[in-house]
Amino acid sequence: MWDKAAGTDNHAWNGGPLYALSAYAAGVRPTKPGWQTYEVIPQTGTLTKINTVTSTVKGDIRLGITRDGTKVTLTLTSPSGTTARVGVPTYGGAQPVIKANDTTVFTGGSSTGGVSGLTYDGKDSSYVYWVVQPGTWTFTATGVGRLDNLALGRPVTGNNSLENSNWGLSRLTDGTLTSVTGAKGYTSNDFASADVSATPLWVEVDLGTDTDLDAVRLFPRTDTPAAGGGTAGFPVDFTIQTRPDGSSTYTTVRTVTGQANPDGLVQTYGFRTSTARYVRLQATRLGTPASDETTKYRLQFAELTIPTAGTTVTANYTLENGDWGKTRVLDGTLTSVTGAKGFTSIDFASADVNDTPVWIEIDLGADRAIGSVTLHPRTDASGAGGGSAGFPGDFTFQTRTDGGTTYTTARTVTGEPNPNGAAQTYPLTSANGRYLRLRATRLGRPASDESSKYRLQLAEIRIK
């Protein structure tokens, strides 16, 4: 039906995306006419949860998949008269263990045991395949690859590494986030000066294949403090570089100068999405020596992790384009410039968004103390009537622990004055968590070039 006033009920504009979601993201597609046979091979990307119903002439196919850390749960209700080939995703995990309806059916790299109606059908680097008969199936896979660390177990090279029973290149990606006996992390050899710009130190992680990336996390050495306190061996001036498979050219995606001592806290460095196989950190100025060797300068980390693109910063109402995007709140650019203006939500007709709060959340990589949050306003356009555009009026800072499902409010701000372009720092008391969320219920002034559109807008978020 169609009429000029009401439009059409034939929404073809969303038919394509809906099909792509069910047939590719959920992976439910027929392989014979009339759905006599079909496949379920999810391609979830950075999605952590999918639930879908596909209507067929044989009946509804119901699929659910949840990804949580190193565990995946896939549920399937398959109608009578069908045979399904199911690919249980392993996301590159080295030794996944798979159960079907609570019975272990895959371990040690091969099938084991047996469940009536289930037949093993091979594996590859991304899936373990099964042929299933009609009924309700629950597959649980543990030991799968993580969204938050593509670098886990990947090979590392470097130009000046010290290798012994505690330190080594391989320990940079061994999954141990603190420095412990037998796995302290990576260290370079020692230098007499912090300035190594003449012969920069580098370490490089090979991810095995081209992957979309937008952040690197550095976990400081934790077993011995620096001379005078704080973290030992954390670099002061360095770059993060990427290189695609088959290329010999590196692209610098982030430059850091004057890095403050992290005092044992994991640091996350965001950048615009880059597709690459190799990630290199190159240091030109080293940090404070360790307290037990005060004249020896080294590059030292407990761990280096690389999250999948789109997982370090999440938001519920984000606008993504050439200037704006979620990860630009972590890209180190404190003002709004072309190509890196910061984060903006979509627009709202009113400043009051209490019914649909706008939030942006940062994954810090591990549970850690959070002492303060600094919000840098948008600076490329003024607010309608002057001042900063898009700076929130009423908002909260919330934290969530690793593996937790509930948020704790660390600070509530109401009636925040317009910052007039100045960064605002908000101390937090006894805040701890892996995830920090900024949740706004009242937005600030619209920008002068769209005076009726209210948004949440920030150039950068800094967390200490």
Side-chain angles (χ1 to χ4, degrees):
M1 294 177 61
W2 178 87
D3 66 71
K4 187 174 182 179
T8 177
D9 291 331
N10 180 12
H11 291 172
W13 55 269
N14 67 16
L18 286 174
Y19 176 76
L21 286 171
S22 63
Y24 293 93
V28 181
R29 289 185 289 180
T31 52
K32 283 187 178 180
W35 292 84
Q36 299 173 63
T37 64
Y38 67 95
E39 66 181 18
V40 179
I41 304 177
Q43 300 177 56
T44 58
T46 58
L47 297 175
T48 57
K49 191 173 186 178
I50 293 174
N51 284 293
T52 185
V53 179
T54 303
S55 297
T56 79
V57 294
K58 300 289 189 181
D60 289 345
I61 298 170
R62 296 180 178 272
L63 173 72
I65 185 167
T66 302
R67 187 176 182 184
D68 183 13
T70 58
K71 180 180 179 181
V72 170
T73 302
L74 184 152
T75 59
L76 173 68
T77 300
S78 188
S80 298
T82 65
T83 300
R85 183 173 186 257
V86 179
V88 177
T90 57
Y91 301 109
Q95 291 293 325
V97 176
I98 299 175
K99 292 184 176 181
N101 293 352
D102 292 327
T103 297
T104 300
V105 293
F106 187 90
T107 187
S110 60
S111 62
T112 183
V115 174
S116 178
L118 179 74
T119 305
Y120 175 64
D121 197 40
K123 66 175 183 176
D124 57 29
S125 61
S126 300
Y127 301 90
V128 177
Y129 298 95
W130 309 90
V131 175
V132 305
Q133 299 305 309
T136 299
W137 297 91
T138 299
F139 294 92
T140 57
T142 54
V144 304
R146 300 181 65 106
L147 276 171
D148 60 358
N149 191 7
L150 296 169
L152 182 63
R154 301 305 305 175
V156 182
T157 54
N159 67 338
N160 203 303
S161 172
L162 175 65
E163 302 283 329
N164 60 30
S165 59
N166 284 312
W167 302 93
L169 286 167
S170 65
R171 294 188 178 92
L172 189 62
T173 57
D174 65 1
T176 305
L177 304 183
T178 56
S179 301
V180 298
T181 300
K184 290 188 176 181
Y186 157 83
T187 182
S188 69
N189 289 303
D190 61 277
F191 292 81
S193 166
D195 185 356
V196 292
S197 56
T199 55
L201 298 178
W202 59 264
V203 289
E204 181 172 294
V205 180
D206 178 359
L207 300 177
T209 187
D210 280 344
T211 309
D212 286 345
L213 316 167
D214 60 17
V216 168
R217 295 193 182 104
L218 302 179
F219 290 77
R221 175 185 183 182
T222 61
D223 64 305
T224 302
T231 293
F234 203 88
V236 174
D237 296 345
F238 60 96
T239 59
I240 297 170
Q241 304 171 345
T242 62
R243 175 166 65 93
D245 192 10
S247 172
S248 60
T249 302
Y250 288 86
T251 298
T252 297
V253 293
R254 179 75 185 264
T255 299
V256 179
T257 55
Q259 169 66 50
N261 192 292
D263 289 321
L265 299 178
V266 55
Q267 302 295 302
T268 300
Y269 302 93
F271 44 84
R272 292 191 67 172
T273 301
S274 175
T275 302
R277 171 175 175 173
Y278 302 94
V279 178
R280 174 177 287 197
L281 182 143
Q282 181 169 282
T284 54
R285 178 169 290 277
L286 306 179
T288 312
S291 58
D292 59 354
E293 47 178 20
T294 58
T295 61
K296 297 181 178 181
Y297 293 83
R298 301 179 188 268
L299 177 64
Q300 297 178 315
F301 302 109
E303 189 83 355
L304 182 153
T305 69
I306 302 171
T308 302
T311 60
T312 301
V313 184
T314 53
N316 63 339
Y317 292 115
T318 181
L319 175 65
E320 303 279 331
N321 60 29
D323 286 318
W324 301 94
K326 301 185 296 294
T327 57
R328 292 186 179 91
V329 295
L330 292 181
D331 65 3
T333 306
L334 304 184
T335 56
S336 302
V337 297
T338 299
K341 291 187 176 181
F343 163 80
T344 182
S345 70
I346 61 173
D347 62 279
F348 294 82
S350 167
D352 184 355
V353 290
N354 191 63
D355 290 339
T356 55
V358 180
W359 58 262
I360 181 170
E361 179 173 297
I362 297 172
D363 178 357
L364 302 174
D367 284 339
R368 49 158 283 188
I370 304 172
S372 67
V373 181
T374 300
L375 303 181
H376 294 261
R378 175 186 182 182
T379 61
D380 64 307
S382 62
S388 296
F391 202 87
D394 296 346
F395 55 97
T396 58
F397 294 108
Q398 301 174 325
T399 61
R400 177 167 62 92
T401 57
D402 190 9
T405 58
T406 59
Y407 288 85
T408 299
T409 297
R411 179 160 179 174
T412 299
V413 179
T414 56
E416 178 70 2
N418 191 287
N420 290 308
Q424 303 296 304
T425 298
Y426 303 90
L428 306 182
T429 303
S430 301
N432 186 81
R434 172 170 176 166
Y435 303 92
L436 176 78
R437 176 176 287 196
L438 168 65
R439 181 178 183 270
T441 53
R442 178 169 289 276
L443 306 178
R445 297 178 189 174
S448 56
D449 58 354
E450 47 177 20
S451 57
S452 63
K453 296 181 178 181
Y454 295 82
R455 304 178 188 266
L456 174 62
Q457 297 178 316
L458 297 166
E460 186 87 354
I461 298 177
R462 286 287 174 93
I463 301 168
K464 291 186 177 180

